[in-house]
Amino acid sequence: MARLLITGGAGFIGSHTCVVLLQAGHDLLVLDDFSNSTPLALERVSALAQLDNQSCQARLQVRRGDIRDPAGLDNLFAQSASAGAPIDAVIHFAGLKAVGESMRVPLRYWDVNLTGSRCLLAAMDAHGCRTLVFSSSATLYGYPECVPIPETAPIQPINPYGHSKAAVEQLLHDLAASAPNQWRIACLRYFNPVGAHPSGEIGEDPLGTPNNLFPFVSQVAVGRRKSLQVFGGDWPTNDGTGVRDYIHVMDLAEGHRAALDCLLAEPAQLLTLNLGSGQGASVLEVVHAFERASGRQVPYEHVARRAGDAAITVADPSLALQRLGWRTQRGLDDISRDGWAWQSANPDGYDEPG
Ligand code: NAD
Ligand code: UFG
């Protein structure tokens, strides 16, 4: 079992991954500035992993801090080592992720995503911790030239968010090349993470109006919003609406555990893997799956296409299966059922304890 630093561990994907890692027996130190999350998520993580008070203090430690603070990072690594529990590996979720916002405030995105990652990597290197799982994104593929998309597809981001993720991947390549037998790195390119823990205790809690389809649909179903705008009905797809590869966040969490196990067991390497299901679903298929799961109607209207959207993005996930023995286990109905369990028990997200 390893002791892991989890940056951004209170966020949507981080919190679900913490549950899986704790259940696998790892000890966690979460570093989060809570700019897009709440400590309550981690309290619920500890309950879900069935940690009693004593083991909670030892197995799930939480520090409020910023990944761009070199002194804070240095302290974290040094204190862990001097307490006899050095950090073996890092899972790096902390970052900003909204495409539209990245176009309005690119400096912020480059700062948090690139400078933050550079600070983290420098601290890891200085303390001899050279095992990292990095949250990359399918956004790197821009408008894909072939679908399903393999990892060898060209990197051609179309917004500052995507450029910042591509830059971190490049930095990781440069670092691995500088010390080939030392760094163990997995860049995981997520497709569309959605859903929630089946308990409904933790889930996605976007600030303000959701930009993404799934949280928007679930907020319509629960009555927080009147109707969904479907961006475009004339895409070259089965029903004219955009197609995406939705991946249940618990499948994604299990993908992180598998990637970590692989890095710790194998010789030093840099792995780049798509994490997706390999299945596409259209906007209307998502709406109908959510209606079935919730028993609620999701009214919608067609509006113009959204700038920057592609018609279809679907992963080729075969390399992850080959290298990690991992594939998704849950489909759109599971995603909708678990997403609804979270949304219906927490209609206002973490603001309103369920
Ligand atoms: P999230 O916003 O829910 O989680 C990110 C966490 O990082 C939050 O808890 C936030 O408070 C924290 N954070 C932000 N800036 C920080 C800083 N400077 N220092 C310390 N903590 C900071 O996002 P998520 O959906 O869980 O995404 C996690 C990672 O996965 C991100 O890097 C994101 O870019 C990437 N990703 C997400 C998606 C998606 O659709 N959710 C898709 C592909 C990639
Ligand atoms: N859509 C609507 N109405 C909405 C929201 C979305 O019709 O209110 C449509 C979009 O046009 C698209 C599909 O639903 O066809 C999915 O859109 P999302 O915004 O949920 O997801 P994207 O595929 O556009 O992008 C998301 C993240 C990116 C990430 C990418 C791949 O926002 O950061 O998944 O991981 F890079």
Side-chain angles (χ1 to χ4, degrees), residues 96-100 136-141 159 161-162 165 189-194 209-217 227-232 235 241-247 275 281-284 286-287 301-313:
L96 304 179
K97 61 171 181 176
V99 169
S136 189
S137 171
T139 199
L140 292 185
Y141 299 120
N159 52 63
Y161 167 61
K165 289 286 179 186
R189 295 178 179 165
Y190 314 154
F191 278 66
N192 289 56
V194 287
T209 308
N211 297 307
N212 299 116
L213 179 66
F214 236 90
F216 204 106
V217 165
S227 87
L228 170 74
Q229 294 192 324
V230 176
F231 299 140
W235 293 102
T241 64
V243 167
R244 295 291 181 273
D245 184 333
Y246 295 98
I247 172 171
L275 294 188
S282 73
V283 174
L284 295 185
V286 167
V287 167
E301 54 175 329
H302 281 284
V303 297
R305 291 181 179 187
R306 179 172 66 178
D309 269 352
I312 307 180
T313 58

Side-chain angles (χ1 to χ4, degrees), residues 175-187:
L175 202 53
S178 73
N181 299 318
Q182 295 187 27
W183 285 91
R184 296 157 194 267
I185 297 174
C187 293

Side-chain angles (χ1 to χ4, degrees), residues 250-264:
M250 293 305 292
D251 278 327
L252 192 56
E254 286 161 10
H256 287 75
R257 182 186 54 191
L260 180 75
D261 288 349
C262 172
L263 291 182
L264 293 173

Side-chain angles (χ1 to χ4, degrees), residues 46-104:
S46 110
L48 287 171
Q50 296 182 310
L51 301 183
D52 57 33
N53 262 351
Q54 212 177 354
S55 57
C56 184
Q57 277 172 15
R59 299 205 43 223
L60 177 58
Q61 297 181 326
V62 182
R63 298 281 180 278
R64 185 184 287 268
D66 194 309
I67 50 165
R68 293 165 295 177
D69 171 12
L73 287 169
D74 187 53
N75 268 336
L76 216 60
F77 280 95
Q79 280 172 4
S80 297
S82 61
I87 294 165
D88 300 306
V90 178
I91 304 190
H92 178 31
F93 294 106
L96 304 179
K97 61 171 181 176
V99 169
E101 185 186 56
S102 79
M103 291 160 83
R104 289 192 297 278

